[in-house]
Amino acid sequence: MDKGASGWLNGFIGVAIFSGSLPATRLAVAGFDPIFLTAARGVIAGLLASVLLIVLRERRPSLSDLLSLLIVAGGVVIGFPLLTAVALQRITSAHSVVFIGLLPLATAIFGVLRGAEKPHAAFWLFSCLGSALVTAFAIRDGISVSLRDDLLMLGAIVVCGLGYAEGAKLSRRLGGWQVISWALVLALPVTFTLVLSQHHVPLADVPRSAWIGLAYVSIFSMLIGFIFWYRGLAQGGIAAVGQLQLLQPFMGLALAAGLLGEPVNFSMIAVTGGVVACVFGARRFA
């Protein structure tokens, strides 16, 4: 399998894993405070990453890599999980997952700014069209309900896109699993401190479904998914493979309906279908 095809395959596996993140977060916030949830998933994934780095005797990143790793940690370890957890206290995962359609555009923009990529002009047309469909849905169905939570989701998309692009750039040199592992380890002092500060959380009253949600976002969303995702972005290009995220809303909506019993109306399906269609045009010119 050539490098480009391998990048798309790894990217698709990563997106499939990430598609369960928001539904799982929705389950988890039913029993955990958003700050505790963000910190706990970071601690669990960080400890697992530490074991990997020690067992495999991975060399430490250079001092010049520290800033990029801090950007990754701030974007995907703390920023995105915290902002989405707060928003998901009041909005459904079916609604919030559609915002993920904006991630390809955010990732591509930061791929240009941080990764020195130069997609064709037509690429931006298709990418912006997909994002416009998602934005139109949010304005029609979401802003009248909770402007604050939609803004939180948009903020989460921005910091996540930056973390994706920065991590992909660094993965070309360090490797995909190494980047997310070191970022998780760097974030441990913050996440561990936050867990200790939330000691008043009544864990005995947390339902089993919330524990399942925490386990998923800690092991799969925070670690395993990134192993495939960063490798895919590094192999196939940040802007190109990043368009696979347009498939994530469709997968997420299916999970929200099947696992959580949340309503998925026709407008959600229509906008997701339109966004997914844009991936083919964007891919051709990426």
Side-chain angles (χ1 to χ4, degrees), residues 76-272:
V76 304
V77 178
I78 298 175
F80 181 80
L82 179 59
L83 292 173
T84 53
V86 173
L88 282 165
Q89 287 185 305
R90 284 167 292 272
I91 60 176
T92 67
S93 60
H95 176 75
S96 65
V97 80
V98 183
F99 281 86
I100 301 303
L102 295 171
L103 257 179
L105 181 58
T107 304
I109 290 172
F110 285 115
V112 171
L113 296 176
R114 302 294 300 173
E117 295 193 353
K118 297 180 180 179
H120 191 278
F123 163 84
W124 296 109
L125 175 63
F126 285 105
S127 188
C128 287
L129 178 59
S131 298
L133 288 172
V134 175
T135 303
F137 172 83
I139 292 174
R140 187 199 68 81
D141 193 49
I143 285 184
S144 61
V145 176
S146 178
L147 174 60
R148 174 190 167 219
D149 293 320
D150 280 348
L151 289 176
L152 285 172
M153 287 301 304
L154 288 173
I157 296 307
V158 172
V159 297
C160 189
L162 174 59
Y164 280 174
E166 196 70 28
K169 182 185 72 171
L170 201 54
S171 294
R172 296 167 182 165
R173 185 166 67 257
L174 296 183
W177 75 267
Q178 292 92 334
V179 168
I180 189 58
S181 294
W182 284 117
L184 285 164
V185 169
L186 280 176
L188 269 177
V190 175
T191 54
F192 191 71
T193 300
L194 286 174
V195 165
L196 292 180
S197 71
Q198 300 291 311
H199 64 277
H200 59 277
V201 176
L203 300 181
D205 299 330
V206 175
R208 185 170 65 173
S209 59
W211 286 108
I212 293 173
L214 173 60
Y216 187 92
V217 296
S218 301
I219 299 171
F220 291 94
S221 304
M222 202 80 268
L223 183 60
I224 296 176
F226 277 103
I227 295 175
F228 292 99
W229 183 238
Y230 277 150
R231 183 173 177 80
L233 290 174
Q235 289 176 325
I238 298 171
V241 175
Q243 296 308 298
L244 283 171
Q245 294 166 106
L246 290 171
L247 300 175
Q248 192 169 330
F250 180 79
M251 298 177 183
L253 289 173
L255 285 171
L259 298 180
L260 305 181
E262 294 183 355
V264 178
N265 56 42
F266 176 76
S267 63
M268 290 181 180
I269 297 173
V271 72
T272 303

Side-chain angles (χ1 to χ4, degrees), residues 1-11 231-232 234-237 241 283:
M1 184 180 295
D2 62 55
K3 190 174 181 181
S6 179
W8 279 85
L9 177 59
N10 282 310
R231 183 173 177 80
Q235 289 176 325
V241 175
R283 179 181 181 276

